[in-house]
Each structure stands twice: as structure tokens, then as C-alpha cells.
């Protein structure tokens, strides 16, 4: 009777935990991918998840679900369960599971070990606004981070700061984009919005309705977002002409500087040649003046006679 009561209590406890973890609609025979999709599409975005749910999923052998839940909920939301999960995963039962090894490494990683990268950025403009397209990726040809979570957006009169956190191939990344703008903007009417997964859009209202030569105060070459050319054709065509003129100006300056450098090198070479000739002459005079004895330097000796 006691054993039966124990089984009943365990079963009731499991049912309560299933309900707590929003898993009451699933059975033990359900495929893992079904539970994973459910968590990623519904639970992680809309509900608060308890740590016990993670342990429960691991204990039931749903290792891929557990790794996804840890990355997309606990890690992305900076919920520190490091000590508890590390202690739990030290059980020999989980050490040989690939997903649990990855989860263990992620849990052991400290926040200062997260790699900080600049996202991929493009920009376009009209006379009244500057438009910035941000893809949370560590390089142009890589896909966007699908679970990137926007954490900081600071649009100020002369600067822009964007920070997001995401995980790519089980590696955590912090995306940081901080620039000083080429000219002042109006933060009160500027705005940002999340576009497709892993990307965002920033619209900066200019204080002065003129085209900018570049996006940042520094001479940093940010790629142009030419996809917006049809939206703001007249301004973008004028912008393209500005860029062409600036490129020509830089090319002329580069040619001038090259000629200037060449002239400087020629002058330096001429100076070195003259210096060598002078040193050679002085050496000859020195050697000549050292001739005092007959037979050793006849010309010098007779001259002294």
C-alpha cells in the first residue's frame, strides 16, 4: 500500500510538473522535434520558464529540447542558473550526451568570455532622414542570428548605440554598433523597428535637410544600402554623384601626395648622393694629408718640400 501511495504521489507530482512546464498536452512517446518546435514557437516567447522544467526535460532524455530551451530562454534572458545546471550535469548519465556537453560548456562560460562583434550595416539617405539596415551577423556572407535579442537602443543627437545578444552554432555573441554621426539628428522623431528575424531598421531624422557625405563623423566607409534607391531616387542619385566626386577628389589628392612623396624621395636621394661625394672628397684629402715619408706618398711628400 505504501509503495502504491508512493507511485501515486510521484505520478501526481509529475503531472503537476508537466502542467507547470506547459507540457501536459504531450506524452512520453511524442517525438522530440515536436516538443522543441512547441517550446521555440510558443513557450520561450510568451511564458516564464522555471529551472525545474529544464531538469525535467533533461531527465526525460529530450536533450536537444533542453539545449534549445537553455540557449533561447535562460541564456538569452541572462537568467543565471550556472551553479545549479553545472551541478546537475555532472551526473555520469549525461556526460556522454553531445547536447549536454555543449550545454555544460555554455553554462561554464563567463559573461566576459562572450565574443563582441560589430553587426553588418548598410545605410541610405534622403535629404530629411538617414536609414540604417542592421543584420545581426559577424560577417556579410553569413546568415543573420535568428535568436538575436535586442538589449540596448540609444538614439542621441550625435550618436547611435545598438546592442543585441544572440547564439550562433551554440556560440554566444554580443553584437555592438556604436558610432558618432556625421551630423546632428532629432532623437524625438527618430525611431527603430525590428524587421525580419535577425535584422532591424533605424530611421534618423536629420536636423538639417541636407545630404551627408558619410554616415559617421570618422571617415569610415559604411556600405551603401542601394536597395532604397527606388524609394528616394532623386536624393540617392544626387548622393551617388557626391560619392563619385568625393572619390575623384581623393584620387587627385592621392596623386598629389604620391608626387609630393616622390619629390621628397628624389630630394633625399640627391642629398644622400651629395653627402657621399663630400665624404669621399674629405676622405681623399685626409689620406693625402697623412703622407709624410718619402716612398709612402711621393706626391704628398714633395708637395710639403
Amino acid at each position: 500500500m505504501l509503495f502504491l501511495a508512493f507511485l501515486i504521489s510521484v505520478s501526481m507530482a509529475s503531472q503537476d510538473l508537466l502542467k507547470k512546464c506547459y507540457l501536459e498536452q504531450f506524452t512520453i512517446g511524442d517525438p522530440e522535434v515536436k516538443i522543441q518546435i512547441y517550446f521555440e514557437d510558443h513557450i520561450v516567447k510568451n511564458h516564464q520558464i522555471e529551472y525545474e522544467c529544464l531538469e525535467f526535460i533533461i531527465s526525460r532524455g529530450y536533450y536537444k529540447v533542453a539545449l534549445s530551451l537553455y540557449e533561447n530562454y535562460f541564456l538569452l534572458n541572462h537568467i543565471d542558473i550556472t551553479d545549479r545546471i553545472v551541478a546537475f550535469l555532472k551526473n555520469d548519465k549525461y556526460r556522454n550526451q553531445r547536447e549536454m556537453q555543449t550545454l555544460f560548456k555554455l553554462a561554464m562560460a563567463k559573461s566576459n568570455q562572450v565574443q563582441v562583434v560589430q553587426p553588418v550595416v548598410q545605410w541610405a539617405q534622403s535629404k530629411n532622414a538617414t536609414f540604417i539596415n542592421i543584420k545581426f551577423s559577424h560577417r556579410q556572407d553569413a546568415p543573420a542570428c535568428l535568436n538575436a535579442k535586442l538589449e540596448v537602443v540609444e538614439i542621441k543627437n550625435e550618436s547611435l548605440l545598438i546592442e543585441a545578444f544572440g547564439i550562433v552554432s551554440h556560440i554566444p555573441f554580443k553584437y555592438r554598433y556604436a558610432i558618432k554621426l556625421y551630423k546632428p539628428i532629432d532623437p524625438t522623431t527618430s525611431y527603430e523597428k525590428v524587421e525580419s528575424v535577425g535584422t532591424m531598421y533605424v530611421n534618423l531624422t536629420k536636423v538639417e535637410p541636407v545630404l551627408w557625405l558619410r554616415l559617421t563623423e570618422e571617415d569610415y566607409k559604411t556600405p551603401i544600402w542601394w536597395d532604397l534607391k527606388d524609394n528616394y531616387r532623386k536624393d540617392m542619385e544626387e548622393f551617388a554623384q557626391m560619392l563619385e566626386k568625393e572619390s575623384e577628389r581623393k584620387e587627385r589628392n592621392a596623386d598629389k601626395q604620391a608626387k609630393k612623396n616622390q619629390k621628397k624621395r628624389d630630394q633625399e636621394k640627391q642629398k644622400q648622393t651629395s653627402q657621399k661625394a663630400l665624404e669621399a672628397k674629405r676622405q681623399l684629402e685626409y689620406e693625402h694629408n697623412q703622407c709624410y715619408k718619402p716612398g709612402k706618398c711621393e706626391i704628398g711628400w714633395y708637395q710639403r718640400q
Side-chain angles (χ1 to χ4, degrees):
M1 287 293 293
L2 289 175
F3 181 69
L4 181 60
F6 173 74
L7 289 179
I8 293 173
S9 64
V10 170
S11 177
M12 291 179 63
S14 296
Q15 289 298 323
D16 290 341
L17 194 53
L18 283 170
K19 186 175 181 180
K20 185 178 181 180
C21 299
Y22 314 101
L23 290 170
E24 63 268 28
Q25 61 177 298
F26 297 100
T27 61
I28 293 180
D30 285 334
E32 185 171 24
V33 66
K34 181 180 178 181
I35 301 177
Q36 184 173 353
I37 291 173
Y38 177 77
F39 266 102
E40 291 177 352
D41 290 348
H42 302 287
I43 303 302
V44 172
K45 297 177 182 178
N46 304 312
H47 295 83
Q48 181 178 348
I49 308 297
E50 301 293 338
Y51 166 74
E52 289 76 10
C53 298
L54 182 61
E55 283 193 358
F56 179 75
I57 292 170
I58 295 173
S59 66
R60 290 299 184 270
Y62 293 123
Y63 302 122
K64 292 181 180 178
V65 177
L67 178 58
S68 176
L69 181 59
Y70 179 74
E71 289 183 341
N72 293 298
Y73 181 76
F74 292 98
L75 202 56
L76 278 182
N77 290 292
H78 302 290
I79 300 174
D80 189 4
I81 57 171
T82 302
D83 295 338
R84 298 176 71 179
I85 195 63
V86 166
F88 182 77
L89 292 178
K90 285 183 178 179
N91 190 322
D92 292 338
K93 179 181 177 180
Y94 308 119
R95 287 186 178 178
N96 295 326
Q97 301 297 329
R98 183 179 61 184
E99 292 83 6
M100 294 302 94
Q101 291 175 358
T102 302
L103 200 161
F104 185 85
K105 290 178 181 178
L106 284 171
M108 289 295 291
K110 303 299 181 183
S111 60
N112 59 1
Q113 293 175 324
V114 175
Q115 187 175 354
V116 180
V117 297
Q118 179 169 299
V120 176
V121 176
Q122 293 177 306
W123 80 291
Q125 62 174 323
S126 67
K127 283 186 170 66
N128 296 312
T130 293
F131 317 106
I132 303 176
N133 182 48
I134 300 175
K135 181 176 78 168
F136 296 112
S137 176
H138 57 290
R139 66 175 189 268
Q140 181 68 45
D141 58 348
C145 177
L146 299 181
N147 59 11
K149 183 176 181 181
L150 196 60
E151 295 185 332
V152 177
V153 178
E154 290 183 1
I155 301 176
K156 296 183 178 180
N157 183 253
E158 296 182 343
S159 65
L160 173 67
L161 172 62
I162 304 290
E163 289 185 356
F165 182 74
I167 301 163
V168 180
S169 299
H170 309 303
I171 300 174
F173 284 94
K174 181 177 181 180
Y175 300 95
R176 189 174 193 274
Y177 184 60
I179 59 171
K180 190 167 184 180
L181 297 166
Y182 182 63
K183 287 182 179 293
I185 55 99
D186 181 4
T188 60
T189 56
S190 300
Y191 63 91
E192 83 287 343
K193 66 176 180 178
V194 175
E195 294 282 88
S196 57
V197 178
T199 64
M200 69 175 296
Y201 166 82
V202 182
N203 186 310
L204 304 176
T205 305
K206 295 177 178 178
V207 172
E208 184 183 3
V210 294
L211 292 177
W212 295 0
L213 185 59
R214 54 183 181 269
L215 176 61
T216 67
E217 186 183 62
E218 300 81 11
D219 193 7
Y220 177 75
K221 192 174 181 180
T222 307
I224 309 301
W225 192 9
W226 290 115
D227 289 347
L228 289 191
K229 186 174 181 179
D230 291 338
N231 298 30
Y232 308 96
R233 180 171 296 277
K234 183 178 178 181
D235 289 342
M236 287 296 286
E237 286 178 352
E238 186 177 339
F239 178 40
Q241 293 173 3
M242 285 176 60
L243 293 177
E244 186 175 352
K245 289 179 181 179
E246 178 66 9
S247 178
E248 292 173 354
R249 185 190 67 80
K250 287 184 176 181
E251 189 174 345
R252 288 195 301 270
N253 288 345
D255 289 342
K256 288 180 181 179
Q257 187 62 42
K259 291 178 181 179
K260 185 177 179 181
N261 292 340
Q262 184 61 47
K263 184 178 180 181
K264 186 176 180 181
R265 286 193 295 269
D266 291 343
Q267 290 175 344
E268 186 66 28
K269 186 176 180 180
Q270 185 178 2
K271 182 178 178 182
Q272 290 177 357
T273 302
S274 300
Q275 185 69 26
K276 286 181 180 179
L278 181 61
E279 290 177 357
K281 182 179 179 181
R282 288 175 178 174
Q283 182 65 24
L284 286 174
E285 291 177 352
Y286 173 79
E287 291 176 356
H288 182 78
N289 293 333
Q290 294 301 312
C291 298
Y292 294 105
K293 296 180 180 180
K296 195 170 183 182
C297 184
E298 295 294 337
I299 296 176
W301 185 79
Y302 282 117
Q303 284 178 343
R304 288 181 180 79
Q305 298 305 313

